[in-house]
Amino acid sequence: MTCDQARDRLALCAGGDLDRTEAATLDRHLQECAGCRRFYEGLESNHALLRSLRRETVTPASLSQMRAGLFSQLQDPAAVLGWRIRLERFLLTGFRKPRYAVASLAIAAIVSVTLFAQMRHVAAGPVAMAAVFEDRTTLLRPDYQGWKVVDSTTHNEHHAFGKAYISPSAHKEFTQTGKFPEGTVMVLESSKSPGSFLASVKDSSRFEDGWGYFEFDDVGGRQTSKASALPGTAGCVACHRDRAAMDHVFIQFYPVLRTAAGML
Amino acid sequence: MELLMLRTSGDPSPEALEIETLVRRTLAGDTAAFEQIVVRYERRVMSLSLRMLRAVDDAQDATQEVFLRAFKYIHRLDLQKPIEPWLMRMTVNACRDIARKKVRRHHSFSEIPAVDADPRDESKDPYAGFAWEQQRQMLWRALEGLPEKERMAVILRDVEGFTTSEVAEILESSEGTVRSQICRGRLRIKEAMDSMVKGGLR
């Protein structure tokens, strides 16, 4: 064993990160090499110093100061959570309790028959581009009033979320082919905060997973006019990919779409 | 890892059961239950933050951020696993975010603020007194000279005393990577300390 090889292992050994065989080989080298022995003593004393930093701890005063700030923010849990998290929680618990799924399917079956009958008479909406991008991943606020409503709050025990919409041309194509075309835009309103909604856009040329997700807010009447795609870590991307019943869309909650897909 | 495995398989410990109850109550909207979780882990989170950030106000900010994130994402916590590595992982990430902002503000990490240490009986402490104080200053300077990932690995392993596999879990990395970061970090600290001893601490 050369001294260079030994020093890597000595660094590991100083903190007890070497197994017995490795340590034995190292020991033989140490017995022969005074330089490495000194080197190891230095490492060991540094390790003792590092370990002693553990006793530097926080004062009760600075802890309680931190806690006061934290607890005052927790006074308003809804503000801390935000409605995106509440949506995520709702969807997760929705799946954990199969009873809700059964109930929502029963309602869906009744509602869908009525809605589908109506749907057949609805002419296709204006063929405008539903999604307008300012740059690669910045979406301008879509004007979705008048789009096809695919869901009300029937399945939603918390009533945190309002109606869900699909862009008219996408809806038309979906009823014919059973697939969401490129350019499909879906909108999910917040029922708590009018003017706030989440939008998803199908565009494989822009988004790795095929779909991009956007949050548009309304704070005291001031509406966000454009939104950047939420990062993959936001939770929506993975949840839509893994749990949505069809192509990243929760059609299990959308009677109109379920019926359309089932009819084909 | 062995320790973690023991805790995950077989009967959960009374502590794990208690945490599970507190988490479920938090999810049901009981904020007081979450406050109990905070009281249990605040010291651990803030100590680590202080060691990562070296300034009390930054450590307080980081700790608040960690618990706000924990409150928000507690529904994603896997109750089969212990909560501590999850909190430590969020601590590391919150400290990283704050450190980045700090670099942008000051463009320098060179200041070594006085540490907010608990007053203790120092009469029997071999690390008390001026000589130790000087060594400690050198050590912090050496630590601050490490690349971020090596510094975090060394702080978690050597200062906090987590096992290598726990460190890997906290840093979302592999054991092999952490091992080599620890190895390189210790060697670099040694090099920095040696050169400071030679050149004198300025």
Side-chain angles (χ1 to χ4, degrees):
Chain A
M1 184 185 279
T2 67
C3 291
D4 270 349
Q5 288 169 336
R7 289 184 181 187
D8 271 4
R9 295 187 189 188
L10 286 171
L12 288 170
C13 187
D17 293 301
L18 218 54
D19 66 42
R20 241 175 254 156
T21 354
E22 287 175 306
T25 333
L26 192 61
D27 220 31
R28 280 198 292 280
H29 177 80
L30 278 187
Q31 280 168 14
E32 297 156 5
C33 180
C36 281
R37 275 203 300 276
R38 266 198 308 281
F39 192 85
Y40 184 62
E41 279 163 19
L43 282 167
E44 268 189 320
S45 97
N46 286 348
H47 188 255
L49 262 175
L50 277 166
R51 242 192 1 220
S52 74
L53 293 181
R54 211 176 299 177
R55 60 186 73 206
E56 280 182 13
T57 173
V58 291
T59 61
S62 60
L63 262 180
S64 66
Q65 203 182 0
M66 179 285 300
R67 202 190 294 155
L70 174 66
F71 286 2
S72 81
Q73 289 187 70
L74 290 175
Q75 292 281 301
D76 186 1
V80 175
L81 293 176
W83 66 286
R84 224 165 62 206
I85 293 297
R86 295 207 297 274
L87 169 66
E88 190 179 314
R89 282 192 187 175
F90 164 70
L91 290 174
L92 286 174
T93 47
F95 281 95
R96 281 183 197 147
K97 295 175 186 165
R99 267 178 301 148
Y100 293 146
V102 173
S104 73
L105 281 182
I107 298 168
I110 300 164
V111 177
S112 59
V113 172
T114 347
L115 284 181
F116 190 69
Q118 285 176 10
M119 205 171 69
R120 295 172 68 166
H121 300 292
V122 174
V127 189
M129 282 295 285
V132 184
F133 284 90
E134 187 185 64
D135 58 31
R136 203 170 155 68
T137 55
T138 307
L139 180 69
L140 297 183
R141 191 180 185 91
D143 180 17
Y144 60 87
Q145 302 300 330
W147 286 8
K148 183 76 191 166
V149 176
V150 292
D151 181 49
S152 58
T153 53
T154 42
H155 71 267
N156 181 352
E157 61 182 316
H158 305 296
H159 300 290
F161 315 108
K163 292 176 183 162
Y165 300 81
I166 185 169
S167 50
S169 50
H171 175 247
K172 192 176 172 207
E173 189 159 338
F174 184 78
T175 54
Q176 286 164 3
T177 64
K179 289 188 177 117
F180 294 105
E182 289 288 320
T184 298
V185 184
M186 301 207 58
V187 163
L188 180 59
E189 286 180 325
S190 156
S191 68
K192 293 268 163 66
S193 155
S196 296
F197 60 89
L198 293 169
S200 62
V201 179
K202 182 171 179 177
D203 190 333
S204 323
S205 69
R206 293 172 196 271
F207 310 112
E208 206 180 317
D209 264 3
W211 289 81
Y213 302 88
F214 305 85
E215 181 175 346
F216 290 91
D217 287 320
D218 185 319
V219 183
R222 286 189 50 181
Q223 298 185 330
T224 39
S225 59
K226 53 190 173 184
S228 303
L230 294 164
T233 50
C236 7
V237 179
C239 189
H240 274 256
R241 183 189 56 223
D242 300 340
R243 294 171 185 273
M246 184 180 191
D247 188 14
H248 303 246
V249 179
F250 283 88
I251 67 163
Q252 57 265 54
F253 291 145
Y254 302 151
V256 174
L257 298 179
R258 283 184 58 83
T259 317
M263 292 296 284
L264 288 162
Chain B
M1 199 58 187
E2 267 181 291
L3 231 168
L4 293 178
M5 296 290 253
L6 279 179
R7 261 184 270 162
T8 52
S9 59
D11 288 336
S13 67
E15 196 200 337
L17 286 174
E18 245 174 278
I19 292 296
E20 190 179 327
T21 313
L22 289 174
V23 169
R24 289 195 196 287
R25 277 171 53 199
T26 304
L27 277 169
D30 180 357
T31 313
F34 184 74
E35 290 178 359
Q36 285 189 46
I37 299 180
V38 172
V39 171
R40 256 169 221 246
Y41 293 101
E42 58 183 2
R43 186 169 282 276
R44 200 86 174 89
V45 169
M46 199 160 137
S47 301
L48 177 59
S49 303
L50 188 62
R51 287 195 257 281
M52 296 260 180
L53 296 167
R54 303 293 295 144
V56 178
D57 52 348
D58 286 337
Q60 286 174 323
D61 288 351
T63 309
Q64 287 185 357
E65 182 58 31
V66 168
F67 286 112
L68 285 175
R69 284 185 201 175
F71 184 71
K72 255 176 108 162
Y73 298 113
I74 201 154
H75 59 286
R76 292 190 192 165
L77 174 68
D78 183 354
L79 284 170
Q80 304 302 306
K81 293 182 183 169
I83 191 173
E84 200 178 29
W86 187 68
L87 286 172
M88 293 294 115
R89 186 153 60 228
M90 286 196 287
T91 309
V92 166
N93 290 334
C95 289
R96 224 180 252 168
D97 293 347
I98 286 175
R100 285 204 185 119
K101 275 186 214 148
K102 208 160 121 179
V103 170
R104 251 177 272 145
R105 273 205 316 265
H106 300 302
H107 300 282
S108 144
F109 249 131
S110 56
E111 55 195 314
I112 303 177
V115 78
D116 180 39
D118 241 354
R120 278 161 196 276
D121 175 19
E122 292 185 342
S123 53
K124 284 179 198 156
D125 188 345
Y127 294 101
F130 179 70
W132 147 237
E133 180 59 31
Q134 195 181 28
Q135 288 232 29
R136 208 189 47 150
Q137 294 279 331
M138 284 165 58
L139 183 63
W140 274 117
R141 190 167 287 196
L143 270 169
E144 274 161 18
L146 293 185
E148 190 187 53
K149 286 184 175 162
E150 286 176 23
R151 188 174 72 240
M152 286 181 168
V154 169
I155 288 180
L156 288 166
R157 174 79 187 97
D158 289 350
V159 184
E160 302 293 324
F162 287 106
T163 66
T164 306
S165 64
E166 283 170 330
V167 177
E169 197 186 338
I170 292 167
L171 295 179
E172 293 174 287
S173 177
S174 72
E175 262 188 73
T177 308
V178 167
R179 216 169 118 98
S180 73
Q181 282 165 345
I182 291 168
C183 171
R184 264 179 286 132
R186 284 176 188 157
L187 288 174
R188 256 192 251 260
I189 289 173
K190 168 115 176 42
E191 201 181 324
M193 296 281 282
D194 289 351
S195 77
M196 276 186 259
V197 171
K198 274 184 204 138
L201 179 65
R202 261 183 286 250

